[in-house]
């Protein structure tokens, strides 16, 4: 039987090897194609693949087994669970209406809000400003209660003054700005990249430090090109994938 072929990884000797191996194998399992084999190579083969000891490999496999991603059978081998969760897709469908519809129904808990200096990485979106108003929210899966993502919005203070913070617990910022505040939204530019969970994100999303996450940045502008909102969202990498549909 052909065995599943995991991706390779360059190990950082300053971090626990079992953890790095488990996260790499985990990403390979969750990102597999439908036709990929379910049987994993032997512990010895996997250890050679990653360049670690069999003991380290065994510890990494136990992590995936505890998550329910794999099952281990004496004499038969180790197999990927066919029902292993692939993660809920987040679809970016190309229009403001579609984005509002996609975000609606996601309830959030407002962790804090208030004035803050413009982050260095966002200075280009707020030229001439030294201060913005921030809103920090945490979202949970409504069925399991599991944290799924946390988001920060950065708004010009004069726009933030028209936003009711309580409304952000039941409606997405895009909908609040458009329908409640009455702003005209011309464009939203989305950027998604892979990152590793920092200490704050690991704590809020209840994942191990340096777990893979998806980092989303959305920039909302009006017809004159003025920034209305910049959103940064950290999604759990094991729960979400992004699908972009481009219609001709």
């Amino acid at each position: 039987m052909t065995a599943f072929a995991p991706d390779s990884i360059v190990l950082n000797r300053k971090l626990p090897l079992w953890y790095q191996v488990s996260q790499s194998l985990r990403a390979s399992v969750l990102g597999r194609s439908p036709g990929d084999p379910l049987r994993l190579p032997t512990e010895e083969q996997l250890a050679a693949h990653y360049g670690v000891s069999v003991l380290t490999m065994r510890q990494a496999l136990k992590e995936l087994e505890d998550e329910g991603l794999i099952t281990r059978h004496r004499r038969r081998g180790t197999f990927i669970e066919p029902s292993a969760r692939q993660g809920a897709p987040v679809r970016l469908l190309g229009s403001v209406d579609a984005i509002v519809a996609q975000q609606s129904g996601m309830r959030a808990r407002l962790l804090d809000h208030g004035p803050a200096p413009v982050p260095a990485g966002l200075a280009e979106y707020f030229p001439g400003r030294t201060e913005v108003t921030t809103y920090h929210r945490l979202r949970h899966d409504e069925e399991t209660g599991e944290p799924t993502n946390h988001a920060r919005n950065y708004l010009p203070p004069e726009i933030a003054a028209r936003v009711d913070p309580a409304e952000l617990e039941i409606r997405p910022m895009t909908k609040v700005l458009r329908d409640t505040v009455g702003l005209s939204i011309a464009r939203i530019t989305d950027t998604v990249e892979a990152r590793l969970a920092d200490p704050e994100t690991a704590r809020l999303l209840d994942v191990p430090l340096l777990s893979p996450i998806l980092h989303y940045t959305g920039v909302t502008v009006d017809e004159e090109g003025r920034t209305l909102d910049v959103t940064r969202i950290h999604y759990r990498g094991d729960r979400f994938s992004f699908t972009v549909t481009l219609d001709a």
Side-chain angles (χ1 to χ4, degrees), residues 143-208:
E143 293 183 2
T144 66
E146 184 180 50
T148 59
N149 67 80
H150 76 98
R152 278 192 171 87
N153 293 82
Y154 302 87
L155 279 67
E158 66 274 15
I159 294 178
R162 301 163 62 187
V163 172
D164 179 0
E167 195 172 1
L168 295 176
E169 297 195 351
I170 58 175
R171 295 183 178 87
M173 179 65 81
T174 306
K175 184 174 181 64
V176 171
L177 292 179
R178 188 192 66 176
D179 298 347
T180 303
V181 179
L183 298 177
S184 176
I185 297 175
R187 184 178 70 255
I188 300 176
T189 301
D190 299 310
T191 303
V192 182
E193 58 185 312
R195 292 191 180 180
L196 299 178
D198 56 29
E200 181 189 39
T201 296
R203 176 181 60 83
L204 289 172
L205 300 186
D206 193 25
V207 296

Side-chain angles (χ1 to χ4, degrees), residues 19 36 44 46 55 76 139 149 162 179 187 211-212 241 246:
Y19 172 73
D36 287 344
E44 291 77 12
L46 285 171
L55 185 62
R76 288 181 54 213
R139 293 189 177 99
N149 67 80
R162 301 163 62 187
D179 298 347
R187 184 178 70 255
S211 295
S241 62
L246 301 177

Side-chain angles (χ1 to χ4, degrees), residues 223-243:
E223 294 178 350
E224 296 182 14
R226 293 174 298 192
T227 300
L228 305 177
D229 168 46
V230 177
T231 306
R232 283 177 167 174
I233 307 177
H234 291 85
Y235 291 94
R236 283 182 56 151
D238 62 331
R239 293 295 310 280
F240 290 92
S241 62
F242 279 80
T243 299

